[in-house]
Amino acid sequence: MDADELLHNARALARHAAECARVVPPQAALGMRCSEAAMGQLLDECEEQFSQLQQLQNEITMTKSDSLETSRDETVNRVNALAAELKQWMETEPKLLSTNSEILLTVGKEELLQLNTQLEMVFSCSQAKRNKLKEVLKSEQKWLEEKREVLMAVTEQVTALQQENDKLSETSVLHDMKKKIQKVKEYQDHLLDTLSDVLEEHFPLPQQAGNTNKKKKNSSMEPRKDLISLHNILELLMNKTVETPHEPYVVIDETFWPPYIEMLLRYGIASRHPDDYCRIRIDFGPQQPFVGEELINGCIGMEQRRICCNLL
């Protein structure tokens, strides 16, 4: 039986007891509610029952004194007789103390009033317990709602982290790395193309420069035919550094035009071998963060000096 069913039964019993209390007379002492005839009859019946009880008490007392003088067999017979009599009294239904309806009505009223008081106490306790359970239920529902909000927030965060993890998977990382490598290669090709254009425009071979410079038409010295261009010199130096980094030096022979070598050494683009004067290499010192840009700047500076000398 749950609390609601118990509360419903208590209310029904309390209502029934209240209806019975309205039917019977108001509560008062038993002697004041019964008539004198009923009271006399009740007293006579009580005296009669008391006399019977006293007579039985006397018989029990006489039996105890006689039992000391009787034999063992008689004692056993007496015990059996008392057991049979006890069984008979147990099976016999108890009789009412009085058959007077007025007395029975008064006793019933007393019992109903006591029952009504007890049921009111049960009802009050049940209501208090129910109110307390309502407060507990309200607090538990509030706690449950808070936990649901926390669970929803954590679920959203986990979902966001999973999506971010999917984006940063191995395939995406590899794809991003390929894009970065491609950008670096494109930037490198752009620098190499710019360097090639600058060298081709401002640093031609000596025989080509002789065709364009009128002041050198009457020169007595004829330039060599097998000279390599500055672009080829730089490409040779860079390839040597990449292919054999442990031995990046290139041997200078007659095909290397001395002014180009001097320019590379003067602007810090190349450096000589400490033991061999005829060997040079690309210089990656701390003041040359990027070779391509340094080469372009050095070549432009050398061309400006050459133009100034021609004007003088």
Side-chain angles (χ1 to χ4, degrees):
M1 182 180 296
D2 55 2
D4 293 335
E5 187 177 356
L6 179 60
L7 184 60
H8 178 72
N9 294 337
R11 287 178 177 175
L13 290 174
R15 187 166 51 254
H16 182 66
E19 292 176 357
C20 293
R22 285 195 298 270
V23 173
V24 298
Q27 183 178 7
L30 185 59
M32 297 299 293
R33 285 175 288 171
C34 298
S35 62
E36 294 181 359
M39 283 295 299
Q41 183 182 356
L42 182 59
L43 289 175
D44 293 339
E45 291 178 356
C46 289
E47 289 178 358
E48 183 181 357
Q49 294 294 331
F50 182 73
S51 61
Q52 290 180 4
L53 182 62
Q54 190 174 6
Q55 183 180 359
L56 291 174
Q57 183 67 30
N58 293 334
E59 289 179 1
I60 292 172
T61 305
M62 293 296 294
T63 303
K64 287 182 179 180
S65 61
D66 293 341
S67 62
L68 299 175
E69 300 175 357
T70 56
S71 62
R72 183 176 181 181
D73 296 335
E74 291 178 356
T75 303
V76 173
N77 293 333
R78 184 63 178 172
V79 170
N80 293 333
L82 290 174
E85 186 176 359
L86 177 60
K87 184 178 180 181
Q88 184 179 359
W89 281 107
M90 292 289 292
E91 293 176 356
T92 302
E93 294 182 0
K95 296 180 180 180
L96 295 176
L97 182 63
S98 176
T99 58
N100 192 334
S101 60
E102 187 177 357
I103 296 174
L104 294 176
L105 179 61
T106 304
V107 174
K109 178 185 174 182
E110 291 289 341
E111 292 180 357
L112 286 176
L113 290 175
Q114 291 180 2
L115 179 62
N116 186 23
T117 303
Q118 294 176 359
L119 291 177
E120 286 179 354
M121 293 177 62
V122 172
F123 176 72
S124 178
C125 294
S126 300
Q127 254 189 342
K129 187 175 181 180
R130 184 182 183 184
N131 294 334
K132 186 176 180 180
L133 290 175
K134 283 183 178 180
E135 293 178 358
V136 173
L137 178 61
K138 187 176 180 180
S139 62
E140 291 293 334
Q141 287 178 347
K142 183 178 179 180
W143 178 83
L144 179 62
E145 188 66 24
E146 292 177 355
K147 294 303 178 182
R148 285 179 178 174
E149 292 178 358
V150 172
L151 178 61
M152 187 179 299
V154 172
T155 304
E156 291 178 356
Q157 186 176 4
V158 170
T159 304
L161 290 176
Q162 288 179 351
Q163 293 177 356
E164 185 177 357
N165 189 21
D166 294 339
K167 291 180 181 179
L168 297 177
S169 61
E170 183 178 357
T171 305
S172 61
V173 171
L174 182 60
H175 185 66
D176 294 340
M177 187 61 66
K178 288 182 178 180
K179 285 185 177 180
K180 292 180 180 180
I181 293 174
Q182 184 65 28
K183 289 181 179 180
V184 172
K185 287 183 177 180
E186 292 177 358
Y187 183 66
Q188 181 184 5
D189 294 339
H190 173 69
L191 289 178
L192 292 177
D193 293 339
T194 304
L195 177 62
S196 177
D197 295 339
V198 169
L199 294 177
E200 184 178 357
E201 179 180 358
H202 298 285
F203 296 94
L205 291 174
Q207 58 269 25
Q208 296 176 357
N211 295 332
T212 56
N213 195 349
K214 295 180 180 180
K215 293 183 179 181
K216 295 182 179 180
K217 286 184 177 180
N218 299 324
S219 178
S220 59
M221 297 182 62
E222 190 71 19
R224 292 175 58 90
K225 300 292 185 181
D226 56 350
L227 293 176
I228 60 177
S229 63
L230 181 59
H231 181 271
N232 292 333
I233 294 174
L234 293 174
E235 184 176 358
L236 181 63
L237 291 173
M238 288 187 290
N239 291 335
K240 185 66 174 178
T241 303
V242 173
E243 293 174 358
T244 57
H246 59 284
E247 184 61 30
Y249 290 94
V250 176
V251 178
I252 302 174
D253 54 11
E254 295 179 355
T255 59
F256 289 79
W257 198 35
Y260 288 164
I261 302 300
E262 184 65 22
M263 180 195 69
L264 296 177
L265 295 174
R266 180 174 298 179
Y267 284 94
I269 300 174
S271 61
R272 295 184 184 274
H273 193 279
D275 298 330
D276 191 354
Y277 185 80
C278 296
R279 298 172 65 186
I280 62 172
R281 55 162 291 180
I282 288 287
D283 192 3
F284 292 99
Q287 298 181 356
Q288 287 78 31
F290 194 80
V291 177
E293 294 180 357
E294 190 67 28
L295 288 174
I296 294 173
N297 295 332
C299 294
I300 292 176
M302 186 63 185
E303 176 64 17
Q304 291 176 352
R305 291 183 60 190
R306 185 176 65 82
I307 293 174
C308 292
C309 293
N310 292 334
L311 292 176
L312 293 174

